[in-house]
């Protein structure tokens, strides 16, 4: 059982949680995730460690409601407990020292930039975050990022805040030398379609780009092989070899198709949950 | 005097047509009458070969003699003195290759049903109240990594010697393959739960959801958490793939994923959230216990046809004979001498078939078994909706990747002294599949026991009795 110390909605579909998890906080590093279960009989789902504080023994996660398990988690409040939280899992992000890191975040992926940017800045590198959303109200954690990065570039599809357009358009401008300037490394965390677009944007510009893949997972320890992602033509297990891989080597077609394997069953699970809780 | 009867006393089983659709245990167990009747058959050999053929040397004639005399408590004591997991081993050991395979009665007559008797005695024991509660008498605590059979047995032995033991398990429930791999119809979870409750009552502490190497490093277990020694029983859970086209289609599973979704995550239960996809026709590639479990589970999950596809012949099959027999009775199809070439796409990213090639057996290969050779022009397609790969596993590299100085073989297995389990790191011992590669429950249990003895000795004498041969 892991106690929730703080819980607050960031948007109508994403919620911020600070967990009392001293063992995880003590060893977590940017790029890693936890596996959690909300209830007996529930799924094990992977959630990125957005931030951690070794002093207070706390870990931050940001959960976006998409299906039954994430809804169950998002219904929890401070003082309540999550049944199982195991981690940190996955390999930490490895980047060459120094240089200009551009973190591109979309949706809940924005949260995952927090600890990455903090660590990067502490080690002396320059940091820029490019974060995007459909509209201004869906942007999350801007103040936190502003305090951690040298620059924050905001993009909205409708132009309600910052740059009007996609994060990839703004990224292309940076690569061309605009604003905070050309990045040496890019780390993109967000929806698969966004990460694929980032891969296409940096391809051919000799900008080392990592993406954080989010395949379906069962155990998160390298035992089931369900999380395999094709990277440079070879199957790699995202839970132990990743979840971050070189964006230019990832086969996104296969990855996107595999993530849709259970769409039908997931809808059924949501309906069961809705009936049980009288929602919707 | 032994009673001469050529046949084994038959194990009552659920009827094949009925059981193929439920997860209830296939074997129903001997009654007291069955057990005594079978126990009478044992010849009580002077020099019992069955004992030396047992990986943990259970005094087989002695326990069988106790059964024949109606002394079940005595039989249970004898059994447990050599094998801490008798209810499990009685169900899953490949007896035909071990004790029963060397029974003096074998050959012309059927061997004594040692496995069935072992299971009977252990089940009898389980129906009795737990009486012994050893207490923690020593100040040193020992950490066990992984709650599979090797870890459970090592923990139990150390507790018997008065040590406090903490077992760290990465998943949310202990048991290893016994929980996530072997299905309910062969090994009811209640049997495993009882063994774990026994360990808990003996003072063993279980900490689930902790991944050693990630949550806590191995070195920190000793340096920061104060453990006097560590046993590694992390198994060989990393599944292998064939590398043929179509392996990433939806509907292709490793046997571990398929069985974990069902056994650990209860995908058969409509109330549970974890989904699994089982189509009308399922092909399982491989011929070991894992393959048999996957194919029989497919039937129970509603497949209309379930089949084994294996590139060698029935003779080279590595599954327990009983499971093969049960699978045949349940209506599983077997495609021997058949090698998969490609998994076909239905145009929508899902499996629609398996393109195969027929094989014939040629000269023996490096493994000593006849090498399968493709027959030109023999390609054909099996129409299937799922392909499950059960072609083997290797040790998971997570712990070795995150621990410095832990020596491994070229196959990724931990290097450990055969007699003691000592690894290349002082006070760190290992055993089970993590050392041998995928093997058996009894070998894992035996390794856990040997390592426990070595740990007790090392701590008592304050020396490491053996060093890893360099
Ligand atoms: C390494 C990793 C890190 C992740 N980090 C976070 C995080 O920090 N915050 C967060 O909210 N989510 C994160 N996810 C995604 C999260 O695990 C899924 O949203 C979750 O498993 C969905 O579970 P569910 O039962 O609520 O929905 P389900 O009922 O399982 O799924 C509902 C819908 O979501 C889709 N879906 C399922 N799994 C995923 C997935 N892994 N990625 C994208 N879509 C999926 C399904 O296809 C379906 O359409 C991460 C995933 C991975 C692999
Ligand atoms: C489907 C299937 C059927 C089988 N059928 C039979 C049979 O009929 N008869 C037979 O004798 N054998 C059978 N086997 C083989 C047998 O189950 C194994 O040989 C045996 O379980 C090995 O035991 P172990 O203790 O070495 O490891 P495992 O049982 O693999 O347990 C290892 C445990 O360690 C945990 N772990 C791993 N890494 C870490 C870490 N870093 N930190 C914490 N925990 C960790 C794992 O989660 C797991 O719970 C079967 C295997 C499978 C897969
Ligand atoms: S989630 Fe099972 S191997 Fe990665």
């Amino acid at each position: 059982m892991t106690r929730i110390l703080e819980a607050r909605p960031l948007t109508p579909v994403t919620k911020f949680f600070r967990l009392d998890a001293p063992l995880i906080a003590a060893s977590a590093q940017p790029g890693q995730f936890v596996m959690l279960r909300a209830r007996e009989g529930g799924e094990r789902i992977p959630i990125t460690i957005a931030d951690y504080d070794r002093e207070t023994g706390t870990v931050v996660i940001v959960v976006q409601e998409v299906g039954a398990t994430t809804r169950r988690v998002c219904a929890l409040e401070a003082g309540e407990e999550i049944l199982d939280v195991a981690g940190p899992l996955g390999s930490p992000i490895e980047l060459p020292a120094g240089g200009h890191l551009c973190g591109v975040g979309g949706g809940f992926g924005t949260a995952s930039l927090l600890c990455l940017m903090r660590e990067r800045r502490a080690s002396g590198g320059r940091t820029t975050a490019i974060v995007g959303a459909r509209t201004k109200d869906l942007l999350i954690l801007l103040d936190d990022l502003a305090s951690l990065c040298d620059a924050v570039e905001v993009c909205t599809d409708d132009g309600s805040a910052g740059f009007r357009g996609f994060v990839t358009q703004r990224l292309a401008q940076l690569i061309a030398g605009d604003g905070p300037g050309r990045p040496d490394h890019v780390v993109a965390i967000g929806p698969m379609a966004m990460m694929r677009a980032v891969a296409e944007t940096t391809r051919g510009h000799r900008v080392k780009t990592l993406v954080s893949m989010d395949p379906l997972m069962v155990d998160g320890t390298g035992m089931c092989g369900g999380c395999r992602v094709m990277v440079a033509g070879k199957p790699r297990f995202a839970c132990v070899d990743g979840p971050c891989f070189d964006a230019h080597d990832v086969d996104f077609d296969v990855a996107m198709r595999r993530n849709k394997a259970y769409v039908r069953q997931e809808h059924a699970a949501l309906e069961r949950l809705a009936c049980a809780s009288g929602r919707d | 005097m032994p009673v001469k009867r050529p046949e084994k006393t038959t194990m009552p089983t659920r009827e094949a047509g009925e059981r193929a659709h439920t997860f209830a245990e296939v074997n129903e167990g001997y009654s007291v009458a069955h057990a005594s009747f079978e126990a009478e058959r044992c010849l009580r050999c002077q020099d019992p070969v069955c004992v030396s053929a047992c990986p943990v040397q259970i005094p087989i004639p002695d326990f069988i003699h106790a059964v024949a005399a109606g002394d079940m408590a005595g039989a249970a004591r004898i059994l447990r003195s050599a094998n801490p997991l008798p209810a499990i081993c009685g169900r899953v050991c490949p007896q035909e290759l071990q004790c029963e395979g060397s029974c003096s009665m074998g050959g012309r007559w059927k061997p004594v049903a040692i496995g069935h008797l072992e299971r009977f005695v252990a089940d009898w024991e389980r129906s009795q109240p737990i009486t012994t509660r050893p207490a923690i008498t020593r100040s040193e605590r020992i950490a066990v990594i992984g709650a599979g059979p090797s870890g459970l047995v090592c923990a139990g032995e150390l507790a018997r010697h008065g040590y406090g033991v903490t077992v760290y398990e990465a998943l949310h429930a202990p048991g290893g393959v016994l929980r996530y791999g072997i299905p309910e119809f062969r090994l009811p979870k209640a049997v495993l739960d009882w063994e774990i409750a026994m360990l808990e009552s003996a003072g063993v502490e279980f900490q689930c959801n902790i991944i050693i190497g990630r949550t806590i490093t191995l070195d920190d277990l000793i340096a920061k958490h104060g453990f006097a020694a560590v046993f590694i029983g992390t198994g060989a859970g990393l599944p292998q793939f064939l590398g043929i086209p179509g392996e990433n289609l939806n509907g292709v599973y490793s046997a571990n994923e398929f069985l974990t979704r069902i056994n650990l995550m209860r995908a058969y239960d409509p109330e549970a959230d974890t989904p699994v996809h089982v189509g009308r026709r399922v092909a399982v590639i491989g011929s070991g216990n894992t393959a048999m479990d996957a194919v029989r589970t497919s039937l129970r999950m509603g497949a209309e046809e379930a089949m084994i596809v294996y590139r060698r012949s029935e003779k080279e099959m590595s599954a327990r004979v009983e499971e093969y027999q049960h699978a045949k009775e349940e209506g599983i199809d077997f495609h021997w001498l058949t090698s998969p070439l490609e998994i076909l796409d239905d145009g929508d990213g899902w499996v629609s078939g398996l393109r195969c090639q027929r094989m014939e057996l040629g000269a023996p290969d490096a493994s000593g078994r006849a090498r399968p050779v493709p027959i030109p022009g023999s390609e054909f397609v099996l129409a299937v909706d799922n392909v499950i790969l059960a072609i083997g596993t290797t040790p998971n590299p997570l712990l070795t990747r995150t621990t410095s100085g832990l020596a491994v073989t070229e196959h990724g297995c931990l290097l450990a002294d055969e007699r003691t389990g000592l690894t290349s790191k002082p006070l760190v011992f290992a055993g089970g599949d993590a050392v041998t590669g995928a093997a058996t429950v009894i070998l894992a249990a035996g390794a856990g026991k040997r390592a426990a003895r070595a740990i007790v000795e090392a701590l008592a004498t304050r020396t490491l009795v053996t060093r890893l041969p360099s």
Side-chain angles (χ1 to χ4, degrees):
Chain A
M1 290 286 222
T2 298
R3 180 165 288 274
I4 300 171
L5 300 176
E6 185 187 344
R8 58 185 160 91
L10 297 176
T11 73
V13 292
T14 47
K15 200 159 170 179
F16 173 104
F17 296 95
R18 189 181 301 280
L19 309 177
D20 179 25
L23 283 178
I24 301 177
S27 51
Q29 290 180 68
Q32 293 187 302
F33 63 94
V34 294
M35 293 295 294
L36 63 81
R37 254 186 354 145
R39 60 157 194 150
E40 216 37 77
E43 270 186 291
R44 295 167 60 91
I45 66 160
I47 298 289
T48 308
I49 296 171
D51 207 354
Y52 47 82
D53 184 335
R54 306 211 201 284
E55 305 266 290
T56 57
T58 59
V59 166
V60 171
I61 58 173
V62 170
V63 181
Q64 174 170 4
E65 285 190 22
V66 295
T69 309
T70 45
R71 279 209 190 179
R72 278 205 175 84
V73 174
C74 286
L76 297 172
E77 297 297 342
E80 294 187 283
E81 286 176 326
I82 301 179
L83 181 60
D84 299 311
V85 181
L89 287 158
S91 299
I93 291 179
E94 278 181 30
L95 289 169
H100 179 200
L101 167 67
C102 183
V104 183
F108 65 78
T110 303
S112 320
L113 296 177
L114 291 177
C115 57
L116 175 64
M117 293 316 212
R118 179 200 313 286
E119 292 288 321
R120 202 59 197 168
R121 207 182 191 191
S123 69
R126 190 150 67 92
T127 54
T128 299
I130 304 184
V131 297
R134 243 179 23 251
T135 183
K136 184 168 162 248
D137 296 339
L138 299 178
L139 288 162
I140 61 171
L141 302 165
L142 287 187
D143 293 344
D144 304 71
L145 277 174
S147 71
L148 293 172
C149 303
D150 297 311
V152 178
E153 297 287 323
V154 173
C155 310
T156 50
D157 298 2
D158 64 0
S160 51
F163 174 84
R164 181 196 197 108
F166 298 137
V167 286
T168 41
Q169 293 171 296
R170 187 65 192 126
L171 177 62
Q173 293 177 344
L174 261 63
I175 292 173
D178 189 32
R182 183 184 161 88
D184 299 302
H185 341 277
V186 169
V187 174
I189 310 180
M192 204 85 87
M194 179 207 94
M195 295 194 289
R196 162 188 248 170
V198 168
E200 291 319 314
T201 306
T202 58
R203 199 190 297 276
H205 289 281
R206 290 203 317 280
V207 179
K208 171 91 174 167
T209 305
L210 298 177
V211 285
S212 181
M213 299 304 286
D214 62 349
L216 304 175
M217 292 190 175
V218 182
D219 55 298
T221 63
M223 177 267 277
C224 76
C227 64
R228 60 194 188 278
V229 174
M230 294 306 282
V231 181
K234 293 205 180 66
R236 307 288 303 277
F237 291 2
C239 69
V240 284
D241 302 321
C244 288
F245 294 105
D246 190 322
H248 302 142
D249 289 341
V250 169
D251 186 333
F252 283 98
D253 285 337
V254 169
M256 289 166 100
R257 192 191 63 219
R258 284 178 59 80
N259 263 15
K260 293 206 192 86
Y262 292 111
V263 172
R264 221 184 50 238
Q265 281 108 322
E266 278 149 2
H267 283 316
L270 260 185
E271 273 164 27
R272 277 201 309 275
L273 178 67
C275 293
S277 61
R279 277 172 48 160
D280 295 346
Chain B
M1 265 333 259
V3 180
K4 293 196 173 169
R5 264 193 304 267
E7 290 303 319
K8 265 187 186 181
T9 308
T10 314
M11 167 67 83
T13 53
R14 240 167 259 278
E15 196 267 311
E18 170 215 321
R19 72 174 188 243
H21 306 288
T22 101
F23 282 85
E25 195 176 7
V26 170
N27 283 338
E28 296 180 304
Y30 276 171
S31 63
V32 176
H34 284 117
S36 328
F37 195 64
E38 180 65 16
E40 288 170 355
R41 292 183 63 223
C42 176
L43 300 174
R44 290 170 219 160
C45 310
Q46 282 294 336
D47 181 15
V49 262
C50 54
V51 179
S52 34
C54 167
V56 297
Q57 266 101 67
I58 296 174
I60 292 167
D62 296 355
F63 101 79
I64 293 183
H65 186 95
V67 174
D71 175 14
M72 302 312 166
R77 223 173 17 252
I78 297 169
L79 248 184
R80 214 165 250 285
S81 71
N83 179 5
L85 300 174
I88 292 166
C89 291
R91 286 172 165 82
V92 305
C93 267
Q95 287 93 3
E96 67 274 12
L97 301 178
Q98 303 173 359
C99 51
E100 295 182 21
S102 67
C103 176
S104 315
M105 205 136 46
R108 218 154 56 82
W109 286 8
K110 289 277 183 278
V112 175
I114 303 169
H116 292 343
L117 288 170
E118 178 181 28
R119 173 197 151 131
F120 166 78
V121 173
D123 285 353
W124 174 88
E125 186 192 22
R126 211 152 35 87
S127 69
Q128 304 300 112
I130 299 177
T131 48
T132 47
R133 277 165 198 263
I136 297 172
T137 55
R138 309 202 192 222
S139 55
E140 292 114 321
R141 292 189 61 82
I142 295 153
V144 168
I145 310 175
S150 66
L152 294 178
V153 167
C154 186
E157 289 292 303
L158 290 166
R160 268 192 342 118
H161 282 91
Y163 288 98
V165 184
T166 304
V167 182
Y168 291 102
E169 168 56 49
L171 296 171
H172 58 261
V177 173
L178 307 179
R179 186 167 311 265
Y180 75 72
I182 303 181
E184 182 78 12
F185 59 82
R186 274 216 294 140
L187 176 64
K189 299 291 167 285
V191 174
L192 176 62
D193 290 341
W194 186 84
E195 291 296 345
I196 288 160
M198 280 277 279
L199 290 173
E200 281 175 331
S201 82
V204 174
E205 186 196 358
F206 286 89
Q207 295 247 359
C208 292
N209 292 313
I210 300 216
I211 305 99
I212 302 301
R214 292 277 185 222
T215 319
I216 305 174
T217 64
L218 193 153
D219 289 327
D220 277 354
L221 285 177
I222 294 177
K224 289 201 189 139
H225 293 260
F227 289 102
V230 177
F231 174 77
I232 306 174
T234 48
L238 188 76
Q240 292 178 334
F241 289 86
L242 282 165
I244 59 174
E247 256 175 338
N248 289 310
L249 291 169
N250 292 343
V252 181
Y253 290 104
S254 79
N256 269 4
E257 176 176 3
F258 185 70
L259 292 170
T260 301
R261 280 178 181 268
I262 293 163
N263 296 332
L264 179 72
M265 304 309 297
R266 311 201 322 232
Y268 58 84
D269 175 357
E271 285 303 303
D273 291 332
T274 303
V276 70
H277 178 272
V278 182
R280 285 206 308 125
R281 286 177 305 264
V282 179
V284 176
I285 298 169
S287 79
N289 287 318
T290 310
M292 292 308 154
D293 284 345
V295 80
R296 296 170 70 200
T297 297
S298 309
L299 269 193
R300 285 160 172 79
M301 291 294 293
E304 289 164 22
E305 283 172 49
M307 61 199 94
I308 289 279
V309 173
Y310 183 53
R311 67 194 179 116
R312 300 181 198 255
S313 75
E314 186 177 358
K315 260 208 344 267
E316 286 82 22
M317 172 193 69
S318 58
R320 292 181 80 221
V321 167
E322 185 178 57
E323 308 317 326
Y324 174 47
Q325 239 114 46
H326 285 166
K328 275 201 294 197
E329 288 163 17
E330 287 163 16
I332 303 294
D333 289 329
F334 290 85
H335 296 272
W336 304 112
L337 292 167
T338 304
S339 185
L341 297 176
E342 181 186 0
I343 303 169
L344 305 174
D345 188 338
D346 72 348
D348 226 8
W350 281 88
V351 173
S352 68
L354 183 65
R355 199 160 62 82
C356 302
Q357 183 169 37
R358 298 216 192 276
M359 313 294 277
E360 60 193 351
L361 291 178
D365 63 12
S367 74
R369 298 180 298 177
R371 180 200 303 278
V373 183
I375 301 176
S378 66
E379 292 181 18
F380 68 103
V381 171
L382 289 168
V384 293
D385 311 296
N386 281 102
V387 175
I388 300 173
L389 303 164
I391 54 167
T393 55
T394 56
N396 183 326
L398 194 151
L399 186 66
T400 40
R401 266 194 215 166
T402 54
T403 311
S404 61
L406 202 52
V408 291
T409 68
E410 56 177 325
H411 303 295
C413 297
L414 284 168
L415 260 180
D417 182 280
E418 239 181 70
R419 213 162 51 77
T420 62
L422 183 66
T423 66
S424 55
K425 282 172 91 81
L427 295 165
V428 177
F429 298 75
D433 283 6
V435 170
T436 55
T440 59
V441 172
I442 190 72
L443 288 173
K449 207 169 131 180
R450 278 197 304 280
R453 221 178 291 137
I455 291 172
V456 170
E457 200 178 319
L459 294 181
T461 59
R462 304 256 142 226
T463 51
L464 289 181
V465 266
T466 24
R467 299 228 159 267
L468 187 65
S470 51

